[in-house]
Structure formats: C-alpha cells, structure tokens
Amino acid sequence: MSEMNEKLVFDRPESVIDRATHYCPGCHHGIAHRLIGELLDEMNLAEKTLMTTSIGCSVFLYNYLNVDAVEAPHGRAPAVATGVKRSRPDHFVFTYQGDGDLASIGMAEIMHAANRGEKMCVVFVNNTVYGMTGGQMAPTTLIGQRTTTTPAGRCQTHEGAPIRMTEIIASLGGVAFAARGALNTVANIKKAKKYLKKAFEFQLNNTGFGFVELLSGCPTNWKMTPLAANERITNEMIPYFPLGVYKDVSEEGGVC
Amino acid sequence: MSKKPERIFVKGNEAIARGALAAKCKCFFGYPITPQNDIPEFMSSEMIKAGGDFVQAESEVAAANMLLGAGAAGVRAMTSSSSPGMSLKQEAISYMAGSEIPAVVVNMNRGGPGLGDIGPAQGDYYQSTRGGGHGDYRHFTLGPGTVQEAYDLTIRAFDIAFKHRTPVLILGDAILGQMKEPITPWTPENVDEEGGRDWAITGRDNGREKRLIKSLFLEEGALAGQNQHLQAKYDSWKDLAEAEQFETEDADLIVCAYGSIGRIAKSAVRKFRAEGKKVGLFRPITLYPFPSDDLLALAKQGKRFLTIEHNLGQMVDDVRLAIRTVADSDFYAIYPGNLPTPDELEEPILNCLEGK
Ligand SMILES: Cc1ncc(C[n+]2csc(CCOP(=O)(O)OP(=O)(O)O)c2C)c(N)n1
Ligand code: SF4
C-alpha cells in the first residue's frame, strides 16, 4: 500500500506513555487518562504539571502520564495536592480520584480543599463501585445496585442515598468550576474534555478550584459487557447524576 | 566592640517556630491542639511574612498529607501537633518514610492514652521511635530538653530531613512548649533551600525525565529492595546518635532521662553532687537513633543505671537493649497526669544509689 492511501487520524498524545494498559477491557479510566493527556499536550502543560495520584484502580496513572507525580494515601490526594500547590504555586496541579477515594475516606479532604479554593483541579471518576478491592459498595452506588457488600442491592434506609458530589462541590465557596460529564458515548466524551479544559484554564488563571466528575464504566464489577456498561450509564446513572455545568464563575463573576 | 548577640525570652513552642523560620521553612500546615497552639499561631503571621505559606488544615490527617505534598515538591515544610493529633498524622508519616519524603513534624507530648490531659508526659516515646504508623520504618527523632535546644534542634531537623530524605520528629512535651526561657537565636548559613532539586517533583523543566514519588512497590522483590534500602539508611544513622553526659565520668549511678525530665533530673543530680554523691546524667538527644554505644561504654565501666521517664516505661527498653550484655537498668515512672519536680526524683535516685 502506498503512503498516499494512509492518513493518520488518531495518534497517542505525547503526554501519554506508550505501554500496555492494566485496565479491564471497556474500563473508562483509560479514556479519562487520554483526555487529560490530550489537554496536557494542547495546553502545553506537561513540563509544569505536578500530578497527585490516589488509591484505586487508577493508582497506576503515573505509569501512563509523562509528568512528575506523587502518590497520595487513600482519599488524601486533595490535601497532598494542597501541599504541592502551596509550595510550588507556579505549577499546574491536579488530582485524579475514584468515588471510594474521594467521596468516602477522602470526603473531608475534598470538601475543604474545594472550600479553601485551592488553585488546583480534581478529576473525579465515578463508577459507582470500589473497583480495585473487588466491587464493594461506594458512596455513589445506586439504589438497588448489587455489590459484594450490598448483595441484595443498595437499600436507602440501610446504606443511605448515593452522594451527588458535583452538586455538593458546586455549593462551596472557592470553587471556580464544577461539572459532570460521562465517558460512555463519543458526544459525552467530547463534552467531558471541554469541562476538563475549562477546569484547567481556571487554575491557570489562578481563579479557584476546578472539579470535573466523569461518569464511568466498570464492566468487571458491574458484571456487564462493555457495551451494556455504556448503556447502564445512559439509562441508570445519568438520570440520577445529571450531566452539565454546575458552577462556572466566569458566568457569575469571580471567586476571590 | 563586637555587638552582643540578641537574646529573646520565648516559650519552647515559639522557639521551635522561630527555629523553623531560621531554617528557611517555607510552608506550615497545622491543626489546633493544646499544648502546641503557639506554633501554628506564630506561623500564621510569620510564615506569610517570610514569603511562605500557612494553612490551617481541616484535620491532622490533612495537615500531615499537605506536608507530604510539600516535601515531595522538595520544599522545606513543617507541621506540629500533640499526642491525639500525632496518632492521626501517622498514616502520612508512614507514607513519607516509604516514599522518602523529607519533612519536620513536631509533637509536644501530652498525657494519654486517649484524650488524656493537656499536661506534660512522655507516653509517645514508643510511637515516636518505633515508627508510629504501619510498616517497617524509623525516622529521626530529636528530644530537646531546653528552649534553646528546641530552637537549635529544629534547625538541625531540616538539614537531617533533606540530607537523608526522611521525616524528622521533634519530640517535646507540654513543659518544654509552655516554658519561657531566654535564648540566643541564630541563623544558619548556606541553607540549601532547594535541597530536593535532584529528586523532587518540580515539573519536567527542560524536558527532563518524569519523576515519581511513591511507596507502592508491587513487582516481585521490589518492596524487599526498598525495605533493604530503608534499613541500610537507618543503620547508617548510628554514628549520628547523640547524648548529653553530665558528671558521668566518676559516677557510680547514671540517671537516664530525656527531654524535660532529663532537665529536671539534671537539677536533682546537681544537688546530689553538691552533697558529694556520685550520680551522673545521661540524656539522649537523638531518641532515634538511640545513643546505645555511649551508654554501653558507661556500662562497661561498671556503672549502675536508673531510667526515669514521664511514662510507665518506654525508653527504658532502649537503655536495657543498649547495655544488656553487661548491665541492667532500674526504672522509675512518673505517672502521666502528675507534674514532676526535682525533689520528687531525689528519693528514687538515692534509693538506687544506696542499692535499695
Ligand atoms: C487506608 C486504606 N483503606 C483501604 C484501602 C483499600 N482500597 C484500595 S482501592 C480502594 C477503593 C478504591 O475505589 P475507588 O476510589 O472507587 O476507585 P476504583 O478502583 O473504582 O477506580 C480501597 C478501599 C487502602 N488502600 N487504604
Ligand atoms: S475493576 Fe473496574 S475500574 Fe478497575 S480497571 Fe476493571 S473496569 Fe476499570
């Protein structure tokens, strides 16, 4: 085949390292990683980025993104990132956290970092389950969802209601941008990238805290095919976790 | 005529805060707990004036993790707390030890266990010298006994932390923190403020290789390798062990005590010496590494030992380990919740001297 017939339309972003993935087939962590990698390239941020990774399936994010990184204890990434950003304020700082990490053990750290308006970004991957430890209930597990610790399905009177983090974060002072996207369709992925970009820009402008929730699939622990998992996001997750921008201070006029 | 060095009259807590500023500490992360509140209070204004940053964290957990972040970024940073707060900081300290992140952590020990009281105690010795969090690790632990020493050792703590890539703990107590004494502040020369330049996360400036600071080692043998490396590092600290010896040379009985109790014991020893009684004091300044060799040398001279602590017997284990091949140590406990005086220590010392 001559070169003329081949046109490269899709390539690996430079900020993403060329290596085999450890994620399960159909997992959306990889898509989230790629979106961040694309933005680091497009916004020319790789050399000034200090990434804080967390605990969960994404603990190996540092093996995929070609940036400096520190690993935080479970749930503490927003506190670690606070220390990083306060000591190196000219750098671009973000955390990447799952729902168990951010909304359970790390609830205090995320709330207070957001409320202080730390000039950093948080990427929140919500797959309604603890992936890494084998599919236990997360704070975001939907009512009726079966997990290894809610074998009969999550029951509101026993386990409480799934927590909507973006709505809570958006209500806090210090937050410049809060949005919820999803990674289950091409259209949603494109929109999610826009949200991430906006959150990154707010940090670069030194405006305040940026938060982007990404509804994601965990086909393994949902015991679904990747395609069925994508459909579950549309049919079950999005109705409970509506997509969209919940706070954008550029439309409201500044945080502090 | 040379200018007289400046003298200031400050609390132990403030001396530590001032020492940190002199050591070019750039970030302080705190959470209120008695009896160390003077430190974050001082830092909330002075750290900002010094061009650094101060954060009152939402908890000790968060403060210690902020410290982890700042240390990973190669910046001189500090947190302080007291006993219940220290328990909460242990998670991050274990991670810092595992990831070899330098930082300075101050514990003004209060009475425990649990909520205990807000008075002085030394019940956190085990936690401070054994690695209070999970896993096999140690960190440097310094035990100042005077306000001047609190200042001096804080400056040293930063140098040790960065030289050896380790958290360094300063273990004081409510006496030291709340006591006011005149001190001579000094400023160290040639502080290497960017000491972590060659390993810290600073951004891949000029396209250098990425850096990763972590404590997770999953590949077969990798964690064993990391532990081996850490233990070799801890072993190498042996030579840095330090103790104050007071009237030990011709002493029959050596009183072993550290920190505030070491200082109170020194008063008692002075009194005995005035009466011609052959008592000396051995006051460890580095609690980890423990000055075992110096102690063993004394034991080999045939001396007897009495360990006095403001707890129910913790450092006495280290004393016994050091001298076990030739001698043993008696022990006198000052119960946490009581405030000791030199007079109180006289009877146990005398009893021991007279072999009772
Ligand atoms: C202090 C502590 N508690 C528990 C764990 C075990 N643990 C590892 S990952 C994880 C859950 C992660 O779930 P989530 O944040 O939803 O991420 P996912 O794996 O789904 O991407 C837990 C509980 C830990 N590592 N540390
Ligand atoms: S367990 Fe779930 S979250 Fe983890 S890699 Fe597999 S699909 Fe992804």
Side-chain angles (χ1 to χ4, degrees), chain B residues 110-342:
Chain B
R110 62 188 244 182
L115 201 48
D117 66 12
I118 56 169
Q122 296 184 323
D124 300 352
Y125 180 89
Y126 279 157
Q127 185 195 55
S128 312
T129 56
R130 266 59 182 165
H134 58 284
D136 283 316
Y137 73 91
R138 294 287 201 270
H139 46 60
F140 235 93
T141 304
L142 300 164
T146 66
V147 175
Q148 180 72 54
E149 207 170 66
Y151 184 91
D152 300 346
L153 290 182
T154 304
I155 293 173
R156 228 178 105 195
F158 281 95
D159 289 337
I160 295 168
F162 273 80
K163 183 153 183 228
H164 301 279
R165 281 187 66 180
T166 179
V168 176
L169 192 90
I170 297 171
L171 182 61
D173 67 5
I175 298 178
L176 182 70
Q178 295 303 319
M179 178 171 65
K180 261 191 164 178
E181 283 186 314
I183 66 166
T184 307
W186 53 283
T187 310
E189 281 169 23
N190 309 322
V191 170
D192 186 3
E193 287 180 64
E194 290 280 327
R197 227 180 284 102
D198 49 346
W199 56 262
I201 55 164
T202 55
R204 286 178 40 230
D205 340 80
N206 308 318
R208 68 151 165 76
E209 288 281 294
K210 76 171 170 125
R211 288 179 186 159
L212 171 57
I213 297 191
K214 60 161 186 164
S215 59
L216 181 68
F217 297 90
L218 282 183
E219 314 83 70
E220 180 71 26
L223 182 62
Q226 174 69 354
N227 272 307
Q228 223 162 21
H229 163 70
L230 291 178
Q231 292 304 322
K233 176 162 88 174
Y234 304 150
D235 287 347
S236 77
W237 294 348
K238 223 176 139 204
D239 299 339
L240 302 171
E242 198 180 309
E244 180 200 7
Q245 296 201 29
F246 177 68
E247 306 270 20
T248 52
E249 247 173 58
D250 66 337
D252 295 326
L253 177 72
I254 306 285
V255 175
C256 300
Y258 76 94
S260 302
I261 300 303
R263 184 207 184 112
I264 293 169
K266 196 173 180 177
S267 300
V269 167
R270 268 205 192 95
K271 195 163 170 212
F272 282 122
R273 279 285 170 180
E275 295 165 6
K277 296 196 168 71
K278 290 191 170 175
V279 183
L281 174 77
F282 185 87
R283 182 174 68 89
I285 291 170
T286 57
L287 303 178
Y288 190 91
F290 192 75
S292 307
D293 291 349
D294 294 346
L295 207 54
L296 180 61
L298 291 173
K300 283 183 173 159
Q301 294 164 19
K303 298 180 193 303
R304 279 179 290 129
F305 296 88
L306 168 68
T307 304
I308 301 180
E309 290 178 81
H310 204 172
N311 60 38
L312 305 176
Q314 299 190 18
M315 186 182 79
V316 68
D317 286 357
D318 283 334
V319 172
R320 287 181 171 143
L321 275 171
I323 61 177
R324 70 190 182 283
T325 50
V326 278
D328 196 3
S329 172
D330 285 333
F331 176 66
Y332 180 75
I334 301 157
Y335 271 69
N338 295 336
L339 205 63
T341 62

Side-chain angles (χ1 to χ4, degrees), chain A residues 17 46-47 50 60 62 65-71 73 76 79-80 83-84 86-88 91 108-109 112 116, chain B residues 53 58 61 65-66 69-70 73 75 91 194 201-204 206-208 210-216 218:
Chain A
I17 294 166
E47 291 195 8
L50 306 178
F60 294 118
Y62 48 63
L65 290 183
N66 193 15
V67 295
D68 276 8
V70 55
E71 177 190 81
R76 318 295 176 218
V80 171
V84 172
R86 296 290 184 129
S87 54
R88 301 233 175 249
H91 286 69
E109 284 77 11
H112 287 275
R116 281 193 304 269
Chain B
D53 211 342
E58 61 271 29
V61 175
N65 280 287
M66 290 173 190
V75 166
E91 176 194 55
E194 290 280 327
I201 55 164
T202 55
R204 286 178 40 230
N206 308 318
R208 68 151 165 76
K210 76 171 170 125
R211 288 179 186 159
L212 171 57
I213 297 191
K214 60 161 186 164
S215 59
L216 181 68
L218 282 183

Side-chain angles (χ1 to χ4, degrees), chain A residues 84-106:
Chain A
V84 172
K85 185 71 183 187
R86 296 290 184 129
S87 54
R88 301 233 175 249
D90 296 338
H91 286 69
F92 177 73
V93 174
F94 75 93
T95 76
Y96 184 100
Q97 303 174 257
D99 44 69
D101 192 83
L102 180 139
S104 195
I105 186 169

Side-chain angles (χ1 to χ4, degrees), chain A residues 121-176:
Chain A
C121 302
V122 169
V123 181
F124 171 46
V125 177
N126 177 2
N127 58 18
T128 72
V129 77
Y130 282 36
M132 182 177 239
T133 42
Q136 297 85 3
M137 184 189 75
T140 48
T141 293
L142 293 174
I143 299 298
Q145 185 181 338
R146 288 172 193 272
T147 72
T148 57
T149 49
T150 53
R154 181 177 187 158
C155 162
Q156 180 157 343
T157 51
H158 197 246
E159 280 97 18
I163 296 177
R164 295 185 178 99
M165 283 310 300
T166 303
E167 286 83 337
I168 295 172
I169 295 295
S171 73
L172 299 172
V175 176

